[in-house]
């Protein structure tokens, strides 16, 4: 989307109409409006990953180059998945269309498009299930919501299943727990069978498969990047930290999303990790092979998720570590918490994580042997093992954004708050309907964080930004803390658009700022290299 | 349109039931037995079908703090860690519609500010409807046993507590009609819900409303011979069916509606009743990292092993001095 055409905030707001159109949803064709969908996947990435039907096509063109037997392929794919996933089967059968989910979706709230009501998103698949897999649908047709699958229908699937961030907010409110993330995952798997996916999902997956991370960073660049971070830590704090890579026999393997060592503001979080590990003398290693905790396979298919996730345990075994710590990331933790052990376990070569500093045994991770860094840090703080000076974060007035997956697929709610309250002096929660399990997505998760999809991202991020705006106006909040790589990448432009003047930071950036470490310098600058005092003065002024 | 179709369909069923009273053998015996068979078999088959589909991943939706560090208070009902928590969560979900209780309404206030108000109307309507329906079904057990079970009598007394009118007016009768009216009105007048409503959504409401209204009608207005009805029902229960004369056409209409509901149940969205018990986002514990969940069809997939990776990047790794497993 070019600058001059960029839609203005008040234009978006004025255009939102929650009243559905006059034509029924079955008869309203999908409109591929520029700025609201993602680019199609180039064939080479499909080929590299050995995916079916790789071909060149464009989502905005008429002919998508579907194979002649596309309908049979879809039906066969549905039949297979209905036999493999109870979620899919049950969720197809039991929705009563009560509408409780309707205004829970950030894309619906930001666009007013009725097919962004989770119920209708699911109905796109359910209509096919009804017509071709149930007796009632065969007899009663439209009366029970059955609809024939057409090429238009496939396009609708593509548009709306790549307009869902799998954030699961709707499933919190559904009286039967119908989870649209499951529906979307099924929809995307079915589209894959026809060679249809988006570039921003498949390319990172292909990169990750080859090099070990989504950005396709090769080992030398990975090493350089980590070393740069060590240098920057030294420049800003005077502390010399080590960051071993691929070191056998370390106690801990540390895995974080690749954006941490190549993105901003992720990078400051990385510096926070490095300082923390140095401060407590953690015997750990990075891996250049398993250099990605995030998993775009989750946004592609269950098989791809498993293929990418495999590296973590594979590497832990090779390096003979005892347990694994994972960095700040959202969907990464959905995979690590809910899928990894089932897919790539069991982990008899690892030990139940025990903090070498506090002696705390993390029994809740007794099987996966992988803990979240905020669990590790919260435990350290609770046992008074960190020397902290929260005043070094005084220039920040912070609110905390629960990332969708740690909140709704893990229940990691208190750990980050506990840390923030101990390393910062100014913390204010956003309104309760917008945090914890009811948190709003950044609007760009599940592979939708592309430039070409910007308008939809800004719309989807509206509810989150709106809540930030509230605390900015009420409490003077100037920083949104979060623990997700996609958040850190996509919230800055979102907030710049809706709530200019609010920065985005990872929780461990604040930890790094607050940490007192032996041999440190005067600490006149924070991890961003910005003078602490001056900023405070600026804020006072 | 969907609304009118469903309404006309219900009226049509009423007429069929009316003329059905002239064929008491068919409408008093054959159809009830058939409907009940369809109901039981349909439901059992459906539940078996669901149960046979594996649950490959443990994917509860967590709505509260996980169990992690001992000093952080975890929420065993919203993010259950063990079986007790799961049972508690399911109990709240099934009997008190916990998730629906969270319902909010998003509004764009002044066209600039999003606000989320608490919105309990749907929850109240759903609770009133489902609980009334359940109590009414239980109350009907007075027709199925002789002597009538004491708990049924007790329920009946409680329901008719206010002793308004003779025979005593049941509270549940009022609540079910009011709730169904609300649920119908909501489908009609809430633009979003109207948009997602299918013909079958209205039909389910009309059908149950028709059952309730014909029931109320024959209890208070056009009274039918209850003794004879019990005679018929008891004979059906004993599998020695006899249709007594002079039951009254209204009863046959009522019964016919019930039969349609029973037969329709296993093939419709009414499956949400047994379905909620099968929902993996609610009936699984959030103990994923503590206890391994097994996927019975865990597939073999092509992975990129460390050895392959090292082979591909050997020169680079050598140059930057990272340790290698194989020298060449």
């Amino acid at each position: 989307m070019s600058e001059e055409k960029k839609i203005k905030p008040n234009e978006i707001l004025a255009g939102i109409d929650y009243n559905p159109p006059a034509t029924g949803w079955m008869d309203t064709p999908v409109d591929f409006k520029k700025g609201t969908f993602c680019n199609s996947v180039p064939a080479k990435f499909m080929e590299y990953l050995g995916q079916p039907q790789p071909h060149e096509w464009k989502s905005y063109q008429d002919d998508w180059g579907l194979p002649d037997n596309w309908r049979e392929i879809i039906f066969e794919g549905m039949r297979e998945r209905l036999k493999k996933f109870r979620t899919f089967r049950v969720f197809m059968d039991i929705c009563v269309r009560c509408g409780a989910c309707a205004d829970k979706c950030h894309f619906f709230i930001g666009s007013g498009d009725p097919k962004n009501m989770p119920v209708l998103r699911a109905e796109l698949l359910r209509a096919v299930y009804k017509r071709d897999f149930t007796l009632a649908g065969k007899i009663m047709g439209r009366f029970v919501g059955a609809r024939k699958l057409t090429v238009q229908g496939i396009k609708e699937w593509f548009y709306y299943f790549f307009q869902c961030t799998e954030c699961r907010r709707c499933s919190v409110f559904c009286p039967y727990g119908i989870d649209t993330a499951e529906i979307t995952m099924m929809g995307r798997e079915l589209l894959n069978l026809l060679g249809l996916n988006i570039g921003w999902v498949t390319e990172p997956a292909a990169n990750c498969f080859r090099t070990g991370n989504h950005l396709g960073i090769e080992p030398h660049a990975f090493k350089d990047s980590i070393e740069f971070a060590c240098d920057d830590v030294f420049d800003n704090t005077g502390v010399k930290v080590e960051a071993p890579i691929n070191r056998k026999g370390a106690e801990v393997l540390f895995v974080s999303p690749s954006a941490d060592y190549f993105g901003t503001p992720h990078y400051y979080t990385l510096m926070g990790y490095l300082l923390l590990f140095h401060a407590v003398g953690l015997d750990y290693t990075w891996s250049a092979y398993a250099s990605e905790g995030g998993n775009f396979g989750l946004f592609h298919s269950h098989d791809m998720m498993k293929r990418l996730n495999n590296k973590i345990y594979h590497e832990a075994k090779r390096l003979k570590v005892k347990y694994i710590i994972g960095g700040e990331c959202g969907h990464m933790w959905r995979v690590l918490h809910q899928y990894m052990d089932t897919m790539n376990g069991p982990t008899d070569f690892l030990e139940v994580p025990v903090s070498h500093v506090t002696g705390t045994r993390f029994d809740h991770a007794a099987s996966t042997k992988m803990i979240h860094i905020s669990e590790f840090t919260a435990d350290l703080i609770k046992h008074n093992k960190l020397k902290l000076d929260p005043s070094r974060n005084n220039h920040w007035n912070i609110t905390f954004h629960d990332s969708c997956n740690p909140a709704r697929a893990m229940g990691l709610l208190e750990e980050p708050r506990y840390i923030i309250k101990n390393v910062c002096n100014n913390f204010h929660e956003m309104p309760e309907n917008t945090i914890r399990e009811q948190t709003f997505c950044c609007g760009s998760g599940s592979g939708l964080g592309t430039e070409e999809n910007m308008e939809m991202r800004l719309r989807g991020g509206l509810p989150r930004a709106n809540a930030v705006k509230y605390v900015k106006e009420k409490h003077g909040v100037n920083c949104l803390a979060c623990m997700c790589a996609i958040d850190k990448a996509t919230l800055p432009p979102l907030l710049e658009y809706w709530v200019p003047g609010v920065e985005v930071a990872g929780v461990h950036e604040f930890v790094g700022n607050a940490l007192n470490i032996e041999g440190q310098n005067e600490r006149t600058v924070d991890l961003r290299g910005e003078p602490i005092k001056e900023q405070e003065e600026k804020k006072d002024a | 349109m969907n609304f009118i179709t469903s309404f006309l369909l219900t009226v049509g069923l009423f007429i069929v039931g009316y003329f059905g009273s002239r064929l008491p053998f068919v409408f008093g015996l054959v159809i009830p037995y058939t409907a009940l068979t369809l109901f039981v078999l349909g439901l059992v088959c459906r539940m078996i079908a669901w149960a046979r589909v594996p649950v490959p991943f443990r994917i509860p939706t967590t709505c509260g703090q996980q169990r992690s560090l001992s000093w952080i208070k975890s929420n065993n009902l919203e993010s259950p860690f063990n079986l007790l928590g799961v049972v508690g969560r399911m109990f709240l979900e099934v009997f008190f519609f916990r998730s629906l209780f969270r319902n909010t309404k998003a509004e764009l206030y002044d066209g600039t500010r999003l606000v989320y108000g608490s919105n309990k109307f749907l929850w109240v309507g759903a609770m009133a409807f489902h609980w009334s329906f359940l109590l009414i079904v239980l109350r009907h057990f007075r027709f199925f046993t002789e002597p009538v079970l004491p708990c049924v009598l007790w329920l009946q007394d409680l329901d008719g507590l206010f002793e308004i009118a003779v025979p005593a007016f049941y509270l549940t009768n009022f609540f079910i009609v009011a709730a169904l009216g609300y649920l119908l009105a909501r489908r009609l007048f809430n633009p979003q819900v109207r948009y997602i409503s299918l013909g079958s959504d209205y039909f389910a409401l009309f059908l149950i409303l028709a059952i309730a209204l014909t029931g109320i009608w024959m209890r208070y207005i056009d009274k039918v011979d209850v003794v004879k009805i019990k005679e018929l029902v008891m004979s059906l229960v004993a599998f020695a069916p006899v249709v007594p004369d002079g039951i009254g056409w209204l009863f046959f209409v009522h019964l016919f509606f019930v039969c349609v509901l029973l037969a329709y149940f296993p093939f419709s969205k009414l499956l949400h009743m047994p379905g909620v018990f099968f929902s993996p986002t609610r009936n699984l514990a959030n103990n994923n990292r503590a206890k391994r969940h097994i996927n019975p069809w865990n597939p073999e997939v092509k992975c990129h092993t460390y050895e392959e990776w090292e082979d591909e990047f050997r020169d680079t790794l050598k140059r930057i001095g990272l340790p290698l497993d194989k020298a060449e």
Side-chain angles (χ1 to χ4, degrees), chain B residues 298-326:
Chain B
N298 196 12
E300 283 293 322
V301 292
K302 189 178 174 300
C303 297
H304 197 60
T305 63
Y306 175 81
E307 292 70 30
E308 289 165 328
W309 180 85
E310 187 179 288
D311 283 345
E312 186 168 350
F313 296 106
R314 183 170 311 282
D315 293 340
T316 314
L317 293 169
K318 232 186 241 174
R319 181 164 52 78
I320 60 175
L322 284 187
L324 292 167
D325 276 5
K326 276 193 302 183

Short mmCIF file of all heavy atoms in Angstrom, two decimals, chain B residues 298-326:
data_model
loop_
_atom_site.label_atom_id
_atom_site.label_comp_id
_atom_site.label_asym_id
_atom_site.label_seq_id
_atom_site.Cartn_x
_atom_site.Cartn_y
_atom_site.Cartn_z
N ASN B 298 0.27 -40.14 15.40
CA ASN B 298 1.45 -39.28 15.26
C ASN B 298 2.26 -39.64 14.01
O ASN B 298 2.87 -40.70 13.95
CB ASN B 298 2.32 -39.43 16.52
CG ASN B 298 3.34 -38.32 16.64
OD1 ASN B 298 3.25 -37.31 15.93
ND2 ASN B 298 4.29 -38.49 17.54
N PRO B 299 2.26 -38.79 12.99
CA PRO B 299 2.85 -39.21 11.71
C PRO B 299 4.36 -39.09 11.68
O PRO B 299 4.96 -38.30 12.39
CB PRO B 299 2.22 -38.21 10.73
CG PRO B 299 2.00 -36.99 11.55
CD PRO B 299 1.75 -37.42 12.97
N GLU B 300 4.96 -39.92 10.82
CA GLU B 300 6.37 -39.75 10.50
C GLU B 300 6.46 -38.58 9.52
O GLU B 300 5.73 -38.56 8.53
CB GLU B 300 6.90 -41.01 9.80
CG GLU B 300 7.15 -42.19 10.73
CD GLU B 300 8.29 -41.93 11.71
OE1 GLU B 300 9.29 -41.30 11.28
OE2 GLU B 300 8.18 -42.35 12.87
N VAL B 301 7.30 -37.63 9.80
CA VAL B 301 7.43 -36.52 8.86
C VAL B 301 8.89 -36.34 8.50
O VAL B 301 9.78 -36.80 9.21
CB VAL B 301 6.88 -35.19 9.46
CG1 VAL B 301 5.39 -35.24 9.64
CG2 VAL B 301 7.58 -34.87 10.77
N LYS B 302 9.10 -35.67 7.37
CA LYS B 302 10.47 -35.45 6.94
C LYS B 302 11.04 -34.26 7.71
O LYS B 302 10.50 -33.16 7.66
CB LYS B 302 10.48 -35.15 5.43
CG LYS B 302 11.89 -35.13 4.84
CD LYS B 302 11.84 -34.88 3.34
CE LYS B 302 13.22 -34.72 2.75
NZ LYS B 302 13.99 -33.59 3.33
N CYS B 303 12.13 -34.50 8.43
CA CYS B 303 12.74 -33.43 9.20
C CYS B 303 14.13 -33.12 8.63
O CYS B 303 14.68 -33.89 7.86
CB CYS B 303 12.87 -33.83 10.67
SG CYS B 303 11.26 -34.10 11.43
N HIS B 304 14.64 -32.00 9.01
CA HIS B 304 15.97 -31.59 8.59
C HIS B 304 16.89 -31.84 9.77
O HIS B 304 16.90 -31.08 10.72
CB HIS B 304 15.91 -30.10 8.22
CG HIS B 304 17.07 -29.64 7.42
ND1 HIS B 304 17.38 -30.15 6.19
CD2 HIS B 304 17.99 -28.68 7.64
CE1 HIS B 304 18.44 -29.54 5.69
NE2 HIS B 304 18.84 -28.65 6.56
N THR B 305 17.66 -32.90 9.70
CA THR B 305 18.45 -33.29 10.88
C THR B 305 19.67 -32.39 11.04
O THR B 305 20.07 -31.69 10.11
CB THR B 305 18.97 -34.74 10.74
OG1 THR B 305 19.85 -34.77 9.61
CG2 THR B 305 17.83 -35.71 10.55
N TYR B 306 20.24 -32.48 12.23
CA TYR B 306 21.46 -31.70 12.47
C TYR B 306 22.54 -32.11 11.48
O TYR B 306 23.27 -31.27 10.95
CB TYR B 306 21.96 -31.89 13.91
CG TYR B 306 23.29 -31.19 14.10
CD1 TYR B 306 23.33 -29.82 14.35
CD2 TYR B 306 24.50 -31.87 13.97
CE1 TYR B 306 24.54 -29.15 14.45
CE2 TYR B 306 25.71 -31.21 14.08
CZ TYR B 306 25.73 -29.84 14.32
OH TYR B 306 26.93 -29.18 14.41
N GLU B 307 22.69 -33.40 11.23
CA GLU B 307 23.73 -33.90 10.33
C GLU B 307 23.59 -33.27 8.94
O GLU B 307 24.56 -32.81 8.36
CB GLU B 307 23.65 -35.43 10.22
CG GLU B 307 24.02 -36.18 11.51
CD GLU B 307 22.99 -36.04 12.64
OE1 GLU B 307 21.79 -35.87 12.32
OE2 GLU B 307 23.38 -36.06 13.81
N GLU B 308 22.36 -33.23 8.44
CA GLU B 308 22.12 -32.61 7.13
C GLU B 308 22.48 -31.13 7.16
O GLU B 308 23.07 -30.58 6.24
CB GLU B 308 20.65 -32.78 6.72
CG GLU B 308 20.29 -34.20 6.36
CD GLU B 308 18.78 -34.41 6.30
OE1 GLU B 308 18.04 -33.76 7.06
OE2 GLU B 308 18.34 -35.25 5.52
N TRP B 309 22.09 -30.51 8.25
CA TRP B 309 22.36 -29.07 8.41
C TRP B 309 23.86 -28.81 8.45
O TRP B 309 24.37 -27.92 7.80
CB TRP B 309 21.65 -28.60 9.69
CG TRP B 309 21.82 -27.15 10.01
CD1 TRP B 309 21.07 -26.11 9.54
CD2 TRP B 309 22.78 -26.56 10.90
NE1 TRP B 309 21.49 -24.93 10.07
CE2 TRP B 309 22.54 -25.17 10.93
CE3 TRP B 309 23.82 -27.06 11.69
CZ2 TRP B 309 23.30 -24.29 11.70
CZ3 TRP B 309 24.57 -26.19 12.46
CH2 TRP B 309 24.30 -24.82 12.46
N GLU B 310 24.55 -29.65 9.24
CA GLU B 310 26.00 -29.46 9.35
C GLU B 310 26.68 -29.67 8.00
O GLU B 310 27.56 -28.91 7.62
CB GLU B 310 26.58 -30.44 10.39
CG GLU B 310 28.06 -30.18 10.67
CD GLU B 310 28.66 -31.11 11.72
OE1 GLU B 310 28.32 -30.93 12.91
OE2 GLU B 310 29.44 -32.01 11.35
N ASP B 311 26.20 -30.67 7.27
CA ASP B 311 26.76 -30.91 5.93
C ASP B 311 26.58 -29.69 5.04
O ASP B 311 27.49 -29.30 4.31
CB ASP B 311 26.09 -32.13 5.28
CG ASP B 311 26.64 -33.43 5.88
OD1 ASP B 311 27.69 -33.38 6.54
OD2 ASP B 311 25.98 -34.48 5.70
N GLU B 312 25.39 -29.10 5.11
CA GLU B 312 25.10 -27.96 4.24
C GLU B 312 25.95 -26.73 4.59
O GLU B 312 26.38 -25.99 3.72
CB GLU B 312 23.61 -27.62 4.29
CG GLU B 312 23.25 -26.54 3.29
CD GLU B 312 21.75 -26.36 3.10
OE1 GLU B 312 20.97 -27.20 3.61
OE2 GLU B 312 21.37 -25.38 2.45
N PHE B 313 26.18 -26.54 5.87
CA PHE B 313 26.87 -25.32 6.29
C PHE B 313 28.29 -25.58 6.81
O PHE B 313 28.86 -24.76 7.52
CB PHE B 313 26.05 -24.59 7.36
CG PHE B 313 24.72 -24.09 6.85
CD1 PHE B 313 23.53 -24.73 7.21
CD2 PHE B 313 24.67 -23.01 5.99
CE1 PHE B 313 22.31 -24.29 6.73
CE2 PHE B 313 23.45 -22.56 5.50
CZ PHE B 313 22.27 -23.20 5.87
N ARG B 314 28.85 -26.73 6.44
CA ARG B 314 30.14 -27.14 7.02
C ARG B 314 31.23 -26.06 6.88
O ARG B 314 31.90 -25.71 7.85
CB ARG B 314 30.61 -28.46 6.39
CG ARG B 314 31.92 -28.99 6.99
CD ARG B 314 32.20 -30.39 6.53
NE ARG B 314 31.05 -31.27 6.69
CZ ARG B 314 30.67 -31.82 7.84
NH1 ARG B 314 31.35 -31.57 8.93
NH2 ARG B 314 29.62 -32.59 7.90
N ASP B 315 31.34 -25.55 5.66
CA ASP B 315 32.42 -24.57 5.43
C ASP B 315 32.24 -23.32 6.30
O ASP B 315 33.18 -22.83 6.91
CB ASP B 315 32.47 -24.18 3.95
CG ASP B 315 32.91 -25.36 3.10
OD1 ASP B 315 33.52 -26.29 3.69
OD2 ASP B 315 32.63 -25.36 1.89
N THR B 316 31.01 -22.85 6.33
CA THR B 316 30.73 -21.67 7.15
C THR B 316 31.04 -21.96 8.61
O THR B 316 31.68 -21.17 9.29
CB THR B 316 29.23 -21.32 7.03
OG1 THR B 316 28.87 -21.36 5.68
CG2 THR B 316 28.94 -19.97 7.63
N LEU B 317 30.57 -23.11 9.08
CA LEU B 317 30.74 -23.44 10.50
C LEU B 317 32.23 -23.51 10.84
O LEU B 317 32.66 -23.04 11.90
CB LEU B 317 30.06 -24.77 10.82
CG LEU B 317 28.53 -24.75 10.71
CD1 LEU B 317 27.96 -26.16 10.78
CD2 LEU B 317 27.92 -23.89 11.82
N LYS B 318 32.99 -24.07 9.91
CA LYS B 318 34.43 -24.18 10.12
C LYS B 318 35.05 -22.78 10.22
O LYS B 318 35.82 -22.48 11.12
CB LYS B 318 35.04 -24.93 8.93
CG LYS B 318 35.91 -26.12 9.36
CD LYS B 318 36.59 -26.69 8.14
CE LYS B 318 36.16 -28.13 7.93
NZ LYS B 318 36.67 -28.72 6.70
N ARG B 319 34.65 -21.95 9.26
CA ARG B 319 35.22 -20.61 9.17
C ARG B 319 34.95 -19.79 10.44
O ARG B 319 35.82 -19.08 10.93
CB ARG B 319 34.63 -19.90 7.94
CG ARG B 319 35.16 -18.49 7.69
CD ARG B 319 34.84 -18.04 6.27
NE ARG B 319 33.42 -18.18 5.93
CZ ARG B 319 32.47 -17.33 6.32
NH1 ARG B 319 32.77 -16.31 7.06
NH2 ARG B 319 31.22 -17.53 5.96
N ILE B 320 33.76 -19.92 10.98
CA ILE B 320 33.43 -19.09 12.15
C ILE B 320 33.76 -19.80 13.46
O ILE B 320 33.50 -19.28 14.53
CB ILE B 320 31.93 -18.67 12.14
CG1 ILE B 320 31.02 -19.91 12.17
CG2 ILE B 320 31.63 -17.80 10.94
CD1 ILE B 320 29.54 -19.56 12.28
N GLY B 321 34.30 -21.00 13.34
CA GLY B 321 34.80 -21.67 14.53
C GLY B 321 33.76 -22.29 15.43
O GLY B 321 33.98 -22.45 16.63
N LEU B 322 32.62 -22.67 14.87
CA LEU B 322 31.65 -23.40 15.70
C LEU B 322 32.03 -24.88 15.68
O LEU B 322 32.50 -25.39 14.66
CB LEU B 322 30.23 -23.21 15.16
CG LEU B 322 29.56 -21.86 15.44
CD1 LEU B 322 28.12 -21.88 14.99
CD2 LEU B 322 29.64 -21.49 16.91
N PRO B 323 31.83 -25.56 16.80
CA PRO B 323 32.23 -26.97 16.86
C PRO B 323 31.46 -27.83 15.85
O PRO B 323 30.29 -27.59 15.59
CB PRO B 323 31.90 -27.38 18.30
CG PRO B 323 30.95 -26.34 18.80
CD PRO B 323 31.24 -25.09 18.06
N LEU B 324 32.14 -28.81 15.28
CA LEU B 324 31.51 -29.71 14.31
C LEU B 324 31.45 -31.13 14.88
O LEU B 324 32.33 -31.53 15.62
CB LEU B 324 32.32 -29.73 13.02
CG LEU B 324 32.32 -28.44 12.20
CD1 LEU B 324 33.42 -28.49 11.14
CD2 LEU B 324 30.96 -28.22 11.57
N ASP B 325 30.42 -31.86 14.50
CA ASP B 325 30.34 -33.27 14.93
C ASP B 325 31.24 -34.14 14.07
O ASP B 325 31.85 -35.09 14.53
CB ASP B 325 28.90 -33.77 14.83
CG ASP B 325 28.10 -33.40 16.07
OD1 ASP B 325 28.67 -32.68 16.92
OD2 ASP B 325 26.94 -33.82 16.20
N LYS B 326 31.28 -33.81 12.77
CA LYS B 326 32.14 -34.54 11.84
C LYS B 326 33.11 -33.53 11.25
O LYS B 326 32.69 -32.46 10.83
CB LYS B 326 31.31 -35.15 10.70
CG LYS B 326 30.68 -36.49 11.06
CD LYS B 326 30.13 -37.19 9.82
CE LYS B 326 29.12 -36.33 9.09
NZ LYS B 326 28.53 -36.97 7.92
#
